[in-house]
Amino acid sequence: MLESLVTSKTRIKLLLKFFSHANSGYLRSLAKEFDESTNSVRVELNRLTEAGLLVSEDEGKTKMYKANTQHPFFGEIKGMVSKFLGLDDLMERIVKRMGMVEKAYIVGDYAKGIDSGTIQMILIGNDLDKEYLEFIKEKTYEKVQRKVDVSILTSDPGDIQGILVYGK
């Protein structure tokens, strides 16, 4: 879906990186992370900044980029990225049927904005329906062609590095 709207693979990677989570990055680290040339990343960073979708600020000699949360289309782009990753439907299904889910986090590569093919989640709650979890993992793979790896905790340790997608 996203590939038909955005033809640049580098631009897609940047949108996933910046709009799936409150990530920031600088040119060389992004080029290394995406295994792309610094020139191709620079061109796309400039285009997204000129369009107002990204903002940059200088940190010493390094220019840091992040999503412009004040852009009028920020919410819509974030929603498109979420749909592209298949997270919106997955979260809705899990929370409705799993039982007493208190919190749900996306961790790992997807939390960093990298589409690795495996969505890693942490669910926090008691008496969760593990049988349904196995069913939904299979259905999610069929629908979005991504493996889902879920860990269940009974309480929040407070130091989870990832995107809180459900709960407070």
Side-chain angles (χ1 to χ4, degrees):
M1 169 188 85
L2 205 52
E3 295 95 342
S4 61
L5 293 173
V6 181
T7 55
S8 166
K9 300 285 186 204
T10 304
R11 194 174 313 149
I12 289 173
K13 290 176 185 177
L14 289 168
L15 289 171
L16 290 173
K17 170 84 174 173
F18 293 121
F19 286 87
S20 67
H21 187 49
N23 286 318
S24 63
Y26 61 94
L27 175 63
R28 291 195 192 283
S29 71
L30 293 167
K32 185 177 179 182
E33 181 178 322
F34 299 154
D35 195 26
E36 301 270 349
S37 73
T38 54
N39 190 48
S40 64
V41 174
R42 179 184 297 113
V43 166
E44 294 304 334
L45 286 171
N46 289 339
R47 285 182 179 153
L48 291 170
T49 303
E50 287 169 15
L53 295 172
L54 298 181
V55 292
S56 65
E57 56 187 48
D58 293 329
E59 289 186 8
K61 293 182 181 181
T62 304
K63 187 177 273 195
M64 294 296 287
Y65 294 88
K66 64 181 179 180
N68 179 2
T69 58
Q70 303 305 308
H71 192 280
F73 295 128
F74 174 79
E76 285 81 359
I77 293 172
K78 189 168 180 62
M80 280 178 44
V81 167
S82 179
K83 283 186 173 131
F84 172 76
L85 296 175
L87 303 180
D88 58 336
D89 187 48
L90 177 64
M91 286 293 87
E92 190 176 316
R93 287 180 183 198
I94 286 176
V95 170
K96 280 183 179 176
R97 297 273 314 270
M98 282 295 296
M100 299 298 292
V101 176
E102 293 172 25
K103 293 183 181 180
Y105 290 91
I106 301 294
V107 295
D109 288 345
Y110 277 86
K112 298 172 188 165
I114 302 168
D115 185 358
S116 66
T118 300
I119 301 170
Q120 294 176 294
M121 297 178 59
I122 296 176
L123 298 179
I124 299 171
N126 292 304
D127 301 318
L128 301 183
D129 187 346
K130 293 180 179 131
E131 213 172 281
Y132 177 71
L133 182 60
E134 290 306 313
F135 167 77
I136 198 68
K137 284 167 49 175
E138 277 183 40
K139 286 295 179 192
T140 300
Y141 185 80
E142 290 171 14
K143 185 173 181 180
V144 296
Q145 284 75 52
R146 287 172 180 82
K147 181 182 172 206
V148 179
D149 185 23
V150 181
S151 300
I152 296 176
L153 303 175
T154 55
S155 64
D156 189 344
D159 62 350
I160 295 175
Q161 299 292 311
I163 306 169
L164 178 67
V165 291
Y166 179 78
K168 294 182 183 179

